[in-house]
Amino acid sequence: MPEPFDWDILHRPSAMAMVRGQLGFSWMVLSGRLAELTDEQYFWQPGGGALTVVRRHHTGRFRSLGSGEWVAQWPDEPDHRGPRTIAWLIAHLTEQFFERWEWTFGERRQGRADITLHGNARDAVAWLTHWVDAWQESIAALDEEQVTTVGLSQATELDAAEPFGHVVLRLNRELIHHGSEIMTLQDLYAAAA
């Protein structure tokens, strides 16, 4: 069950409150849909050759992302246009929130390649929830001045060169973008069934 949304944040007149409100509301909507996710939906392929999460020895022509038995197939081209499964989209969101948290609030040792991925919907959603919650709690503890701090996150060269508020907004966009893809795939799966 997702945490209730803090509606009071919508009445706080600060940049960070607006950013946190956007993230919190977007996550509330997506996590509500993920609560009903089945393994069949998780792995459903909307088209042939969809990027997905597989056992390490089944990556095919793709690189692998992840440190355990289950890995995400990762394309070489940065804007791969092929179809993706919900499993892949959850893995991508998980590695984004994990890496940003680790290189902003954590020990700054592990990267996206170190993420643990899962071969079932329940554990994958729980792991994504863990990292989104950790991110939300950590950014909630920041004061307004830290939002403009350049280099607060060191996850990527881009993160290190921009005010932290831009990093948070970029993660919000990732959640909104891929969350809408996940919900569309759930709808298409239901229509196909």
Side-chain angles (χ1 to χ4, degrees):
M1 185 68 149
E3 290 290 319
F5 180 67
D6 175 14
W7 292 99
D8 184 55
I9 202 164
L10 300 179
H11 303 289
R12 297 183 201 149
S14 73
M16 197 56 173
M18 289 185 271
V19 169
R20 287 178 48 219
Q22 181 187 54
L23 173 60
F25 186 82
S26 301
W27 177 241
M28 177 189 72
V29 172
L30 177 58
S31 63
R33 290 288 295 268
L34 291 177
E36 304 297 320
L37 186 67
T38 66
D39 286 347
E40 291 77 22
Q41 291 172 329
Y42 181 68
F43 283 116
W44 181 66
Q45 295 207 11
L51 293 173
T52 192
V53 171
V54 296
R55 292 187 192 277
R56 180 170 294 282
H57 56 281
H58 291 297
T59 57
R61 64 184 176 94
F62 299 106
R63 295 178 293 141
S64 61
L65 176 78
S67 63
E69 176 186 3
W70 291 92
V71 297
Q73 295 173 313
W74 210 259
D76 288 325
E77 58 275 14
D79 62 343
H80 178 77
R81 301 241 184 251
R84 299 173 277 206
T85 64
I86 292 173
W88 190 91
L89 292 164
I90 289 174
H92 177 51
L93 284 172
T94 303
E95 58 91 3
Q96 290 280 304
F97 279 93
F98 161 73
E99 185 176 53
R100 286 325 186 292
W101 185 90
E102 171 70 15
W103 285 86
T104 307
F105 306 106
E107 296 180 12
R108 298 182 178 197
R109 290 184 305 114
Q110 297 185 33
R112 62 197 301 200
D114 300 309
I115 189 72
T116 300
L117 301 177
H118 299 279
N120 66 75
R122 185 195 71 227
D123 292 340
V125 169
W127 199 224
L128 173 60
T129 300
H130 170 81
W131 289 111
V132 171
D133 288 349
W135 179 253
Q136 287 189 99
E137 290 169 14
S138 296
I139 65 171
L142 297 176
D143 61 45
E144 289 294 322
E145 291 177 12
Q146 289 172 300
V147 177
T148 59
T149 301
V150 173
L152 185 61
S153 174
Q154 296 289 313
T156 67
E157 287 183 26
L158 180 60
D159 289 9
E162 65 186 359
F164 183 64
H166 287 284
V167 176
V168 178
L169 286 170
R170 195 165 352 101
L171 252 61
N172 286 7
R173 286 192 308 269
E174 287 285 306
L175 183 72
I176 293 165
H177 171 171
H178 295 306
S180 65
E181 288 181 288
I182 289 167
M183 291 186 286
T184 299
L185 286 172
Q186 285 179 301
D187 294 343
L188 290 173
Y189 175 85

